[in-house]
């Protein structure tokens, strides 16, 4: 009797296997809408895009024509074009002035303050124009809806992707480090400033009373930025998304935060289970140096060399002022 049931069992396994092979859904890549930010944000995002592309996912990227780093043509993605009347030359001029102000000290910083405020106004105006363009182009909106994307991958520093994800009702994955002037942790996790140093304060998680007071002042500068900027975006949310929305709650509802940091660099702080720390994800196995560089490094002898990098906006940095 044991024997017959074994044969029966094998038969049913066979039938189930054939059934599964014939009727299981085909497994294919996702259809991902990407709204990146420019500059170093994009050099990071590109590493993720390369990985997603190599796994067979289809990527569509929204790119405004004021982009620096986001190529229009790429084998990784197709682009949706957003025309922009802005010319980012003003940003290079800003960097030069900011650096000069940093070198010259506080008085100079105050002197340039109106210019800094006008720069930030320009940047946010540019981003808000992008949002107006997308939501007022009905052809584009219909194309976005019809494309039936599986998820939105965007940067927590930008808002177009957030509002679009809400509008298209897409799961939201954020590539994060900053939200305006604040570390994104301030958006999704309790961040008591009595032991969480605000970026730029230079403090650690162990502060005395006066340092804590200064930490609160640093936080209030960052929050002032939020209070000036965020209502403008919330108004766009109200205008374009049915039933309204606000930027902070869209972010708090995000499905996954890919966080570009690691606790090796940061002090302990509360976090959330949907945060994945991907700090160091850009690192690749070491490669031999080009011969010319290798000779240079070897010529330094036992003293070695120091590498200093200027970040993604280096062509705009006034290197001559730094050399002084
Ligand atoms: C971007 O597109 C707009 C409108 O098509 C155009 O006026 C502008 O000159 C373009 N800017 C750049 C940097 O290509
Ligand atoms: C609206 O979007 C469509 C599709 O992306 C594009 O072909 C068209 O030129 C856009 N219209 C305007 C006025 O920019």
């Amino acid at each position: 009797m044991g024997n017959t049931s074994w044969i029966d069992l094998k038969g049913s396994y066979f039938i189930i296997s054939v059934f599964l092979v014939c009727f299981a859904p085909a497994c294919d890549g996702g259809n991902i809408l990407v709204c990146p930010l420019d500059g170093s944000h994009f050099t990071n995002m590109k590493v993720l895009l390369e990985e997603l592309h190599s796994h067979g996912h289809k990527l569509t990227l929204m790119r405004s024509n004021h982009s620096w780093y986001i190529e229009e043509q790429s084998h990784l993605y197709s682009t949706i074009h957003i025309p922009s009347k802005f010319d980012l030359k003003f940003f290079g001029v800003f960097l030069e002035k900011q650096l000069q102000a940093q070198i010259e000290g506080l008085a100079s910083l105050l002197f340039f303050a109106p210019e800094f405020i006008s720069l930030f106004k320009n940047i946010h105006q540019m981003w808000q124009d992008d949002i107006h363009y997308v939501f007022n182009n009905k052809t584009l909106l219909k194309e976005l809806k019809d494309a039936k994307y599986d998820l939105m991958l965007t940067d927590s520093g930008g808002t177009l992707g957030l509002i679009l994800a809400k509008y298209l009702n897409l799961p939201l994955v954020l590539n994060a480090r900053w939200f305006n002037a604040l570390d994104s942790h301030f958006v999704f996790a309790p961040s008591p400033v009595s032991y969480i140093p605000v970026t730029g304060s230079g403090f650690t998680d162990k502060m005395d009373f006066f340092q804590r007071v200064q930490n609160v002042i640093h936080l209030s500068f960052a929050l002032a930025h939020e209070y000036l900027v965020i209502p403008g975006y919330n108004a766009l949310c109200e205008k374009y998304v049915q039933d309204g929305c606000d930027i902070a709650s869209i972010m708090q509802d995000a499905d996954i935060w890919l966080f570009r940091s690691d606790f090796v660099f940061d002090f302990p702080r509360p976090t959330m289970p949907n945060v994945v720390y991907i700090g160091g994800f850009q690192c690749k196995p070491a490669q031999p140096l080009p011969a010319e560089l290798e000779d240079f490094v070897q010529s330094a002898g036992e003293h070695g060399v120091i590498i200093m990098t200027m970040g993604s906006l280096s062509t705009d940095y006034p290197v001559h002022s730094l050399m002084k």
Side-chain angles (χ1 to χ4, degrees):
M1 185 185 148
N3 260 352
T4 31
S5 63
W6 173 234
I7 288 165
D8 284 353
L9 213 56
K10 272 207 293 199
S12 28
Y13 273 139
F14 179 72
I15 291 166
I16 291 170
S17 311
V18 169
F19 182 83
L20 283 180
V21 168
C22 296
F23 298 103
C27 180
D28 54 10
N31 186 15
I32 303 176
L33 183 59
V34 187
C35 280
L37 273 194
D38 214 331
S40 57
H41 292 254
F42 188 70
T43 35
N44 283 302
M45 185 70 114
K46 198 169 173 192
V47 178
L48 296 182
L49 299 184
E50 278 161 359
E51 196 61 26
L52 287 167
H53 178 263
S54 75
H55 284 77
H57 300 289
K58 181 169 169 264
L59 307 171
T60 308
L61 181 142
M62 308 205 63
R63 175 190 180 277
S64 124
N65 71 340
H66 54 62
S67 298
W68 291 310
Y69 280 77
I70 308 171
E71 301 103 345
E72 191 166 2
Q73 310 282 345
S74 167
H75 70 286
L76 300 174
Y77 51 77
S78 51
T79 44
I80 293 174
H81 174 77
I82 304 177
S84 167
K85 59 180 187 294
F86 273 87
D87 181 347
L88 283 178
K89 282 212 185 75
F90 70 85
F91 202 71
V93 177
F94 165 76
L95 281 176
E96 178 134 9
K97 291 206 164 133
Q98 195 199 30
L99 200 61
Q100 197 186 332
Q102 297 273 357
I103 293 167
E104 289 171 10
L106 190 63
S108 180
L109 269 176
L110 289 176
F111 180 73
F112 283 122
E115 225 167 314
F116 294 158
I117 292 172
S118 118
L119 173 101
F120 283 116
K121 251 178 79 185
N122 273 343
I123 289 184
H124 288 291
Q125 188 58 52
M126 185 172 89
W127 286 347
Q128 293 189 0
D129 284 356
D130 289 352
I131 296 172
H132 280 298
Y133 169 79
V134 170
F135 282 94
N136 284 313
N137 183 334
K138 299 298 169 211
T139 321
L140 174 57
L141 268 190
K142 182 167 184 315
E143 280 174 13
L144 286 171
K145 272 187 192 157
D146 292 348
K148 301 216 179 329
Y149 294 106
D150 296 311
L151 69 87
M152 164 70 77
L153 172 64
T154 188
D155 194 299
S156 65
T159 42
L160 170 63
L162 300 175
I163 302 180
L164 256 185
K166 180 79 184 174
Y167 178 83
L168 298 170
N169 203 10
L170 297 177
L172 179 61
V173 177
L174 291 172
N175 180 12
R177 185 71 183 93
W178 309 109
F179 172 59
N180 285 325
L182 280 174
D183 184 304
S184 302
H185 280 99
F186 280 87
V187 177
F188 59 73
S191 303
V193 278
S194 48
Y195 70 99
I196 290 180
V198 174
T199 312
S201 66
F203 298 136
T204 71
D205 56 336
K206 295 188 179 58
M207 291 174 264
D208 62 24
F209 177 73
F210 290 105
Q211 288 172 330
R212 287 176 177 187
V213 172
Q214 288 177 58
N215 202 36
V216 170
I217 296 172
H218 276 280
L219 179 69
S220 56
F221 281 131
L223 290 180
H225 185 138
E226 307 301 321
Y227 287 126
L228 288 176
V229 162
I230 296 304
Y233 291 106
N234 284 344
L236 298 185
C237 246
E238 287 291 329
K239 180 168 179 188
Y240 294 122
V241 180
Q242 209 184 1
D243 302 330
C245 58
D246 67 275
I247 298 295
S249 43
I250 299 176
M251 295 178 100
Q252 281 159 358
D253 284 348
D255 293 83
I256 296 178
W257 290 80
L258 300 173
F259 207 94
R260 298 191 300 265
S261 185
D262 190 280
F263 279 104
V264 167
F265 307 114
D266 271 322
F267 300 108
R269 67 189 301 159
T271 184
M272 287 287 160
N274 61 337
V275 182
V276 184
Y277 290 90
I278 59 169
F281 71 107
Q282 313 92 326
C283 302
K284 300 202 168 107
Q287 302 289 325
L289 287 173
E292 188 190 355
L293 262 182
E294 181 65 38
D295 289 346
F296 174 73
V297 171
Q298 294 305 336
S299 72
E302 58 172 314
H303 300 298
V305 295
I306 295 172
I307 298 178
M308 174 180 151
T309 114
M310 308 281 293
S312 62
L313 300 173
S314 55
T315 51
D316 285 317
Y317 268 120
V319 177
H320 52 274
S321 336
L322 277 180
M323 307 283 255
K324 285 181 196 164

